[in-house]
Amino acid sequence: MTPDASTEPPAKVKKKPADQRDPFLDNAKYLTIVLVAIGHVWDPLRDDSRMAGALYFVLYAFHMPAFVIVSGYLSRSFEGKPRQIKRLVTGVLVPYVIFQTIYTFFMRWASDNPDREFHYQEPGFALWFLVALFLWRLTTPLWKSMRWPLPVALAIAVAAGVTPSINSDLNLTRVAAFLPYFVLGLQLRPEHFQIVTRRRFRMLALPVFAGALLFAYWAVPRMSKGWFLHDKASQDLGAPAWVGGVMTLATFGCGLVLTAAFLALVPRRHMWFTSLGAGTLYAYLIHVYPIKISREFEWYDMDWVDHPLSRVAITLLAAVMMTVLCTSPIRRIFRFAMEPKMEWFFRRDAGEQARAREKGSASARAQGQGQGRTTAGAVQQAAPPAPEQTGAGTGTGSGTGTGTGTGYGQYAGSGSRSGSSYGPGSRGGGKHAR
C-alpha cells in the first residue's frame, strides 16, 4: 500500500530567467553613454580652459575603452551561427546604412551643402563605432580560437598607429586602435568584474581619478588630443613612428587603469537608470544630430557659454538628453531603424525549422497524454461499483498476474482486454492482480 499523497500544493520554486539582464552591466552602459555625450559637448569648451581640457583628456582616456570592453564581454557567445549573423546585419549593419544616409541629408541642410555625396565607406560623426562593432563581432570566432589574442590585437593596434597610409575608409585606424579593448572584453568572465567591485578597489578609484586629473592638467599644453581619439597615425600628429608605438601601449594601459576605477564605482544593484542601459545604442546614434546642430549653428560662440556655471549647465543638459534618448518611448519610435525584422530578406534556417517542428510535435504529444489521463480519470469515476465477490475475478485478454481477492482485477501484463473485468468466476483464463 502506498501512503496517501499530501493535499498541500508543492512549493513554487522561483527560477531566475535565463535572459535576465545584469544590472551592473546595464548601469555601466548607461553611465558610459552619458559620458560620451559629455565628452562631445566639452570638446568646443576645452580651448578656453585648461581645467576643461584636463577633464576632457581624463574622460577620453577611459569612456570609450570602457564601452568597448563591455561590448566585447557581451559578444562572448557569438559563434557565427546563421541567426547570429542575421542579428548582426539587422542590428548593426542596417542601422549604419540608415543613419549614414540620414546623416548625409542632415549635413546637406545643416552645412548648407546640397551637393554632399553619400560616402558609405567614410562613417559620419560617431558612426564609426557601428562599423567597428560589425567588424569586431564578425571576427569574434577567430579571436576566441587564438592562444594569445590580446598580444595579437595590440600588435595590430600599434601597426595601425604608425601607418599613415591607412586612409579614412571605414575609419580603420580607430577600429584597429580600439580592437584590444574588445578582445580583452571577450576574455573576461563574471568573476573579473567582481574583483574590481570589491571595497578596497572602490576606495582606490577616486585617488586614481584625482591623480589622472593632475597629470592631465600638466599634459594639456604638451599633448595632442589625437592620442586619445586614435583617428590618426603618429606621423600625422607630428611624432616619429616609435613614439606612436609607445603612445598606443601607454594609452592602452592608462585606459585599463581608469576603466577599472570607473567600473569599481558603478553600482551593482538596480538603480533608477538601470533599465536605460538597454537603449544605449539608440542614444549613441540619435545624439549625433543635436551635437552637430550646436556646432554647425555656432551655439558655442554665444556670450553666456563662457561662464563656468554655463558649462556646468551644458554638461547637465547633455546628461539629461542622453537619459531621455535611452527611454522606452524613444526605442519604440526608432525600433524600425535600429532593430528591423527583415524576415523578407533572409531564408528560413533549416535547423531552426526542424527544431520548431520537433517542439510542436512534443507539445502535441504532451497535450494528447494529458487529455488521455483526463479521459481515463473521468471513465473511472463514472464506472459503476463492482459487487462484492468471494473468489477471484476473471476476464478475457492477454497478460499474466498473481493474487486473489474480491472485486475486479487489473491485468498486470501487456496486451488488450475486452468485456467486463469483474464478476463471478473461477481461477481460470489468467490470474488477476488485486
Side-chain angles (χ1 to χ4, degrees):
M1 298 293 293
T2 58
D4 294 337
S6 174
T7 58
E8 296 183 359
K12 295 183 179 180
V13 179
K14 291 186 177 180
K15 294 183 178 181
K16 183 179 180 180
D19 57 347
Q20 184 176 357
R21 301 178 66 93
D22 187 348
F24 172 75
L25 296 178
D26 278 335
N27 293 338
K29 290 171 62 180
Y30 166 77
L31 294 175
T32 52
I33 206 64
V34 169
L35 294 177
V36 167
I38 292 175
H40 287 157
V41 300
W42 278 358
D43 191 14
L45 302 174
R46 62 184 181 82
D47 294 333
D48 299 331
S49 172
R50 186 171 179 177
M51 179 56 68
L55 291 171
Y56 180 87
F57 275 16
V58 173
L59 185 60
Y60 268 78
F62 80 91
H63 79 285
M64 280 309 297
F67 197 66
V68 174
I69 286 175
V70 173
S71 300
Y73 177 79
L74 297 176
S75 301
R76 294 174 303 152
S77 61
F78 187 87
E79 299 177 352
K81 297 179 180 179
R83 60 180 179 82
Q84 294 176 326
I85 296 294
K86 175 184 175 181
R87 183 68 184 88
L88 182 62
V89 170
T90 57
V92 178
L93 184 59
V94 172
Y96 169 74
V97 174
I98 293 175
F99 280 89
Q100 180 73 0
T101 304
I102 296 174
Y103 182 79
T104 302
F105 284 114
F106 170 79
M107 291 304 296
R108 284 183 177 183
W109 166 75
S111 62
D112 196 17
N113 181 17
D115 297 328
R116 183 184 179 96
E117 298 181 4
F118 293 91
H119 295 290
Y120 291 98
Q121 79 283 4
E122 297 180 9
F125 178 75
L127 294 178
W128 69 271
F129 182 75
L130 288 182
V131 176
L133 185 61
F134 181 83
L135 296 176
W136 294 336
R137 191 165 289 175
L138 194 64
T139 58
T140 293
L142 175 63
W143 299 111
K144 292 169 63 176
S145 65
M146 287 186 183
R147 182 170 296 179
W148 301 291
L150 187 57
V152 174
L154 281 171
I156 294 175
V158 170
V162 299
T163 308
S165 59
I166 299 178
N167 55 26
S168 59
D169 288 351
L170 301 181
N171 216 327
L172 290 178
T173 301
R174 183 175 284 173
V175 172
F178 285 97
L179 174 64
Y181 299 105
F182 183 84
V183 174
L184 176 62
L186 293 175
Q187 312 304 313
L188 295 180
R189 296 295 179 267
E191 53 268 23
H192 296 134
F193 290 104
Q194 294 175 1
I195 292 175
V196 298
T197 55
R198 293 175 180 172
R199 186 172 181 272
R200 60 174 175 268
F201 282 93
R202 291 197 302 268
M203 295 178 62
L204 291 174
L206 292 180
V208 167
F209 275 114
L213 184 59
L214 289 176
F215 180 81
Y217 189 84
W218 170 86
V220 165
R222 300 173 175 85
M223 185 182 298
S224 170
K225 71 171 185 177
W227 295 115
F228 300 102
L229 299 179
H230 300 289
D231 58 345
K232 296 179 181 179
S234 59
Q235 293 88 332
D236 296 330
L237 298 175
W242 69 269
V243 174
V246 172
M247 287 300 296
T248 298
L249 297 177
T251 53
F252 178 75
C254 180
L256 289 187
V257 173
L258 292 180
T259 297
F262 165 74
L263 293 177
L265 298 175
V266 173
R268 295 192 61 87
R269 64 184 185 278
H270 277 275
M271 307 293 290
W272 63 267
F273 53 80
T274 300
S275 60
L276 302 179
T280 52
L281 195 56
Y282 286 80
Y284 183 86
L285 294 179
I286 300 172
H287 93 286
V288 168
Y289 305 100
I291 297 296
K292 292 299 292 184
I293 287 177
S294 66
R295 297 184 183 183
E296 294 295 330
F297 290 92
E298 300 178 350
W299 291 357
Y300 289 93
D301 294 339
M302 293 185 287
D303 295 335
W304 67 273
V305 175
D306 293 333
H307 196 278
L309 292 179
S310 300
R311 300 184 179 189
V312 174
I314 292 174
T315 302
L316 295 177
L317 185 61
V320 172
M321 176 186 66
M322 297 306 281
T323 301
V324 172
L325 294 179
C326 288
T327 57
S328 298
I330 297 297
R331 297 203 300 267
R332 285 195 296 268
I333 293 173
F334 291 93
R335 184 166 290 138
F336 75 96
M338 290 296 302
E339 301 178 71
K341 298 297 183 182
M342 296 185 63
E343 299 293 344
W344 55 270
F345 189 77
F346 296 95
R347 293 180 177 179
R348 293 289 303 274
D349 182 26
E352 182 179 353
Q353 291 178 337
R355 287 191 295 270
R357 289 194 299 267
E358 183 179 355
K359 183 177 180 180
S361 301
S363 177
R365 288 195 300 268
Q367 184 177 4
Q369 291 175 358
Q371 293 178 350
R373 286 192 295 268
T374 303
T375 303
V379 170
Q380 185 174 0
Q381 291 179 359
E388 187 72 18
Q389 301 294 331
T390 58
T394 61
T396 60
S398 61
T400 60
T402 60
T404 61
T406 62
Y408 54 93
Q410 293 180 340
Y411 293 97
S414 61
S416 60
R417 178 180 62 172
S418 64
S420 175
S421 62
Y422 57 90
S426 61
R427 299 178 181 271
K431 297 180 180 178
H432 296 73
R434 176 176 295 179

